[in-house]
Amino acid sequence: MIASSPMQKRGAQHERWLSLVEHINRKVVGQPEAAKRYARAILAGEMGLTRKGRPRSFLIKLGPTGTGKTSMTVAASELLYGTDAIIRLNMAEFQEKRDLARLLGENRNDNGYLGDELDRLRKAGGHMLLVDEIEKAHKDIANVFLGMEGATVTMANGKTYYLDDIHCIVTSNLGSADAMEMGNLPYALVAEHIEQEAMTHFRPEVWARFTDKIVFRGLTYRVQEQIARDMLTDEARFQSARLGREIVIGDGVFRFIVAQGFHETLGARPMRNTVEYHVRAGIVEKILECLAEKGIELPKDWESEESQALLKAIVQTLPGSKLRLELVGQELKIRTE
Ligand SMILES: Nc1ncnc2c1ncn2[C@@H]1O[C@H](COP(=O)(O)OP(=O)(O)OP(=O)(O)O)[C@@H](O)[C@H]1O
Ligand SMILES: [Mg+2]
């Protein structure tokens, strides 16, 4: 008998390849063109169609904040290689020249953060290196990634890593200032405009090195509505499992969340916070009510399994079968039914 590995659980390779576009479109709403382009670029690398001695792919994702650039990278990596089999570098944490030593190591005994992460990636069976917000990096640090001509990187301890089996995904907001006003224009026009704007920030030889440029558009009201619906359903499902009791979403909740969470320029970022805050606040109030009524003594280590079981037991004492999330004034409250 063949032992089941995480690989097998994620389905056969060809199934993962075939479902990649659909998978990322489900996770990242309203970016069908970017999803298709991204999936094709990644699969070209996976199938060995890209040049030897270079990274499997070397892509830049452009577009306004909160539109799915990071999430799409993570979603694809999860499907292809499994959870956490990805290196995520946020360049906002590498803005100073001295951060270079943290990245590549300080001395002969130091493999650096990147070296350690590459070791972890190999062990996890992943092939994706995400370099987020490249414009924030110190220029020497940006050059480690942008200058990856030979697909190698050497750490302070002398250890060289070959990156020819790696997809290097760079993301940036450069050139995206006008993206929201272009909300209803055809994708090709938006993409061309953002690419033109962004390329002025890079040296021409660096710009030419990207095997593909993938533009994300600003998120319209309609798209943000769909995202709100998905997030609300997800959060209710997550909390239902946590509490051991089904949570249904009552009338008015969805409209309230969309009205609170829609944002012109910040994309879907505020929506996630809005959903999480209001749903959780409603649950917190209900639990506090239960605790006050019953005077239950809680253990100190609230994270333990027993505590979580106790939480479920407290919720079980509520009458009815379902918990209904309802809008009361400007707050979400839990009603039992
Ligand atoms: N198109 C989308 N569909 C669904 N969720 C989205 C979408 N865009 C963003 N989100 C949600 O918004 C949050 C931020 O998304 P993400 O980090 O992917 O944005 P980004 O484009 O990388 O932004 P930044 O330019 O600031 O790095 C995440 O919680 C993500 O789930
Ligand atoms: Mg991002």
Side-chain angles (χ1 to χ4, degrees), residues 27-29 65-71 173 227 231 268-269 272:
K27 299 268 177 172
V28 179
V29 180
T65 189
T67 55
K69 297 183 296 299
T70 299
S71 327
N173 303 132
I227 292 172
M231 286 180 175
R269 269 180 199 288
R272 178 167 298 286

Side-chain angles (χ1 to χ4, degrees), residues 8-195:
Q8 283 162 335
K9 282 197 201 107
R10 278 180 292 116
Q13 172 122 308
H14 75 277
E15 284 169 13
R16 298 201 296 273
W17 285 0
L18 287 170
S19 61
L20 183 58
V21 178
E22 189 193 324
H23 176 77
I24 55 187
N25 270 321
R26 212 168 34 236
K27 299 268 177 172
V28 179
V29 180
Q31 304 288 6
E33 298 91 349
K36 199 165 181 180
R37 255 194 115 111
Y38 180 52
R40 283 180 177 166
I42 292 296
L43 292 181
E46 291 292 285
M47 292 174 187
L49 305 179
T50 48
R51 296 195 184 200
K52 298 274 167 280
R54 297 262 189 95
R56 250 183 221 186
S57 63
F58 187 54
L59 311 174
I60 185 161
K61 291 187 173 175
L62 298 163
T65 189
T67 55
K69 297 183 296 299
T70 299
S71 327
M72 192 183 285
T73 312
V74 173
S77 184
E78 268 174 8
L79 180 75
L80 295 174
Y81 319 120
T83 315
D84 294 329
I86 183 169
I87 300 178
R88 298 176 62 163
L89 298 177
N90 185 352
M91 287 296 109
E93 293 163 21
F94 294 90
Q95 302 193 21
E96 311 288 335
K97 195 175 170 65
R98 62 184 145 86
D99 295 327
L100 187 63
R102 185 155 56 86
L103 187 72
L104 302 182
E106 304 218 29
N107 54 50
R108 285 193 300 128
N109 301 314
D110 191 354
N111 202 29
Y113 181 70
L114 183 58
D116 290 346
E117 280 289 277
L118 284 164
D119 288 339
R120 183 186 64 78
L121 188 71
R122 294 270 138 87
K123 269 208 205 96
H127 298 272
M128 199 130 352
L129 167 62
L130 171 61
V131 183
D132 252 336
E133 305 193 69
I134 189 78
E135 70 274 19
K136 300 225 168 105
H138 184 272
K139 86 175 163 15
D140 292 355
I141 295 174
N143 281 338
V144 170
F145 302 103
L146 299 177
M148 252 177 10
E149 191 67 84
T152 62
V153 56
T154 302
M155 305 301 151
N157 62 4
K159 187 167 173 185
T160 294
Y161 288 87
Y162 294 87
L163 304 182
D164 49 1
D165 64 343
I166 298 273
H167 297 282
C168 182
I169 318 296
V170 174
T171 79
S172 173
N173 303 132
L174 288 172
S176 303
D178 308 327
M180 273 322 286
E181 286 101 85
M182 305 182 78
N184 293 318
L185 292 179
Y187 178 77
L189 280 181
V190 181
E192 193 188 327
H193 176 79
I194 293 182
E195 274 186 44

Side-chain angles (χ1 to χ4, degrees), residues 237-286:
R237 200 178 294 136
F238 172 76
Q239 297 298 351
S240 297
R242 203 86 206 252
L243 302 177
R245 208 54 189 272
E246 191 187 349
I247 299 175
V248 294
I249 296 165
D251 299 337
V253 171
F254 173 64
R255 270 194 308 279
F256 170 73
I257 291 287
V258 176
Q260 296 280 318
F262 173 77
H263 203 286
E264 274 280 320
T265 47
L266 294 180
R269 269 180 199 288
M271 195 65 83
R272 178 167 298 286
N273 297 338
T274 304
V275 168
E276 288 178 355
Y277 170 74
H278 286 285
V279 172
R280 291 171 195 183
I283 296 173
V284 164
E285 288 301 320
K286 196 70 198 173

